Amino acid sequence: MSITIFSQGRNTSRWESALKEHRPGLEVYVYPNTAPAEQVEFALAWNHPPGVFTEFPNLKCIASTGAGVDHILRDPELPVGVQITRIVDEDLTQDMATFVTAQVLNHVRGLHRYKDAQRGHTWKQHSYRRTSDVVIGVMGMGVLGTHTAQQLSKLGFKVNGWSRSPKLIEGIGAYAGAEELTAFLEKANILICLLPLTKDTANILNKDTFSRLPKGAYVINVARGEHLVDDDLIEMLDGGHLSGASLDVFREEPLPEEHPFWEHPLIHVTPHIASITNPASAVSQILENYDRMRHGEPLLHVVSKTKGY
Ligand code: NAP
Ligand code: GLV
């Protein structure tokens, strides 16, 4: 029995160690090194080579090593009967909430200005907004969005969430569906994108969306680069409607050397580090699903191929 890791351009050693440590005797392969093709049943994947899963006729489960599964579902040659699972993990959830909170507070308290001022030995106080005067809109009220919204609410921000179905959570305003999107956007001084990337959510951070935000709004994208129309963001920043953006994810990663985001004074770039799966913490759910697959039991955290998340 074995688990095979499919991951292009990433160091897989932490996953290999975690799997072997938690299940001594388990055979762990890293593609292109595999067991005989007909014995490969369980794949652990991040950015696999497209079409590769067609080589394994008995594959039953493809487990994403992250929360998102867009990197798997975009493969046009995905075998039909295979189940796709994703990571739902306390560390991943907590890390996202702390990263987004840091970006929000950095913006609201204008901390970056003091870094620049310090370089010039400039002592100058700026006014700031109190958390209770700021409305935050969270797009995507799933595992990560809900916890992030709750943490921000605890700090005193007014928080609204937008999802497909309304989420009734104490202290958080609930908006749902295309019909309530404008009402949600019109209130958001800070817009956070935590949506999965699907055909319905691609390019959702565009000029039309931004123009519905109050003037001076700030945008945080920690979901996927394909949610954002890059040129629309630059136009809305340069035109003064938006006050800035914090971007952790990009259409092409690493962000190409010549991309205008690098040099834009109102854009804060981070290299897809908002929340990185900790194999030591997430390995138990991978092994639990591996056992469930072997015993023909229902898997945990299965995604809907129809919904795309
Ligand atoms: P999740 O639990 O599946 O939640 C997805 C949320 O989005 C749900 O609330 C869902 O609404 C909502 N949604 C989906 N399609 C929608 C639509 N068309 N209109 C309105 N709402 C829609 O996902 P998650 O675990 O929170 O993760 C979210 C994403 O974060 C991942 O897919 C990944 O891309 C990204 N991520 C980024 C990093 C990073 O380091 N930057 C790390 C981890 C994850 P319903 O609840 O009504 O279904
Ligand atoms: C990271 O981007 C993830 O989807 O977990």
Side-chain angles (χ1 to χ4, degrees):
M1 297 311 251
S2 64
I3 289 182
T4 310
I5 303 175
F6 297 79
S7 179
Q8 297 184 104
R10 274 207 178 181
N11 183 341
T12 57
S13 60
R14 288 181 67 217
W15 274 109
E16 291 171 64
S17 312
L19 287 165
K20 286 176 185 161
E21 190 181 313
H22 284 76
R23 186 62 58 86
L26 177 73
E27 289 177 33
V28 180
Y29 293 93
V30 180
Y31 184 86
N33 180 31
T34 72
E38 64 283 359
Q39 289 175 20
V40 175
E41 294 185 318
F42 194 101
L44 194 55
W46 188 269
N47 279 340
H48 66 277
V52 72
F53 296 129
T54 57
E55 295 173 26
F56 306 100
N58 296 317
L59 192 64
K60 294 188 174 62
C61 173
I62 304 171
S64 170
T65 58
V69 289
D70 48 291
H71 59 103
I72 297 173
L73 294 177
R74 68 160 59 106
D75 185 344
E77 293 184 85
L78 218 48
V80 178
V82 175
Q83 298 200 72
I84 317 284
T85 65
R86 71 193 199 93
I87 298 290
V88 176
D89 174 71
E90 262 183 42
D91 284 0
L92 193 73
T93 306
Q94 177 66 11
D95 290 356
M96 179 56 81
T98 51
F99 178 86
V100 171
T101 302
Q103 298 301 320
V104 165
L105 293 175
N106 187 27
H107 167 65
V108 170
R109 298 302 304 258
L111 297 181
H112 54 277
R113 286 189 298 210
Y114 297 108
K115 199 152 192 303
D116 295 342
Q118 184 180 347
R119 280 197 204 100
H121 297 204
T122 305
W123 184 276
K124 183 173 182 336
Q125 295 178 335
H126 296 275
S127 61
Y128 58 85
R129 293 170 85 180
R130 310 208 67 248
T131 59
S132 54
D133 296 332
V134 178
V135 179
I136 297 182
V138 180
M139 303 178 95
M141 287 293 284
V143 175
L144 303 182
T146 296
H147 186 65
T148 300
Q150 287 171 319
Q151 294 305 108
L152 291 167
S153 173
K154 279 187 198 156
L155 289 173
F157 291 103
K158 296 191 180 87
V159 184
N160 295 318
W162 181 73
S163 40
R164 277 190 2 155
S165 50
K167 299 287 175 292
L168 302 178
I169 302 166
E170 200 183 337
I172 315 279
Y175 294 79
E179 56 290 353
E180 291 182 9
L181 180 58
T182 299
F184 163 82
L185 293 170
E186 281 172 351
K187 296 178 185 61
N189 304 119
I190 299 177
L191 183 69
I192 297 165
C193 181
L194 266 169
L195 290 163
L197 180 65
T198 68
K199 62 177 174 22
D200 295 328
T201 65
N203 303 318
I204 195 164
L205 299 176
N206 58 40
K207 205 189 314 185
D208 182 52
T209 301
F210 294 146
S211 65
R212 288 164 208 264
L213 296 169
K215 188 168 163 51
Y218 189 80
V219 173
I220 299 177
N221 186 18
V222 277
R224 286 291 182 262
E226 292 91 333
H227 285 123
L228 174 67
V229 181
D230 294 4
D231 290 345
D232 286 6
L233 175 68
I234 289 176
E235 187 181 329
M236 296 304 268
L237 288 169
D238 291 349
H241 185 71
L242 296 178
S243 61
S246 160
L247 307 177
D248 185 57
V249 286
F250 304 91
R251 283 177 183 267
E252 188 180 340
E253 295 181 2
L255 184 64
E257 172 59 31
E258 67 286 359
H259 199 288
F261 286 168
W262 284 116
E263 296 292 334
H264 200 288
L266 299 177
I267 294 178
H268 182 205
V269 169
T270 50
H272 202 144
I273 45 75
S275 182
I276 298 172
T277 306
N278 174 11
S281 155
V283 69
S284 54
Q285 65 190 266
I286 296 297
L287 291 170
E288 167 78 26
N289 267 347
Y290 174 71
D291 292 340
R292 286 170 175 246
M293 175 207 73
R294 288 178 61 196
H295 299 127
E297 294 167 4
L299 304 186
L300 306 172
H301 315 312
V302 175
V303 303
S304 155
K305 292 183 197 164
T306 324
K307 287 201 296 186
Y309 68 98

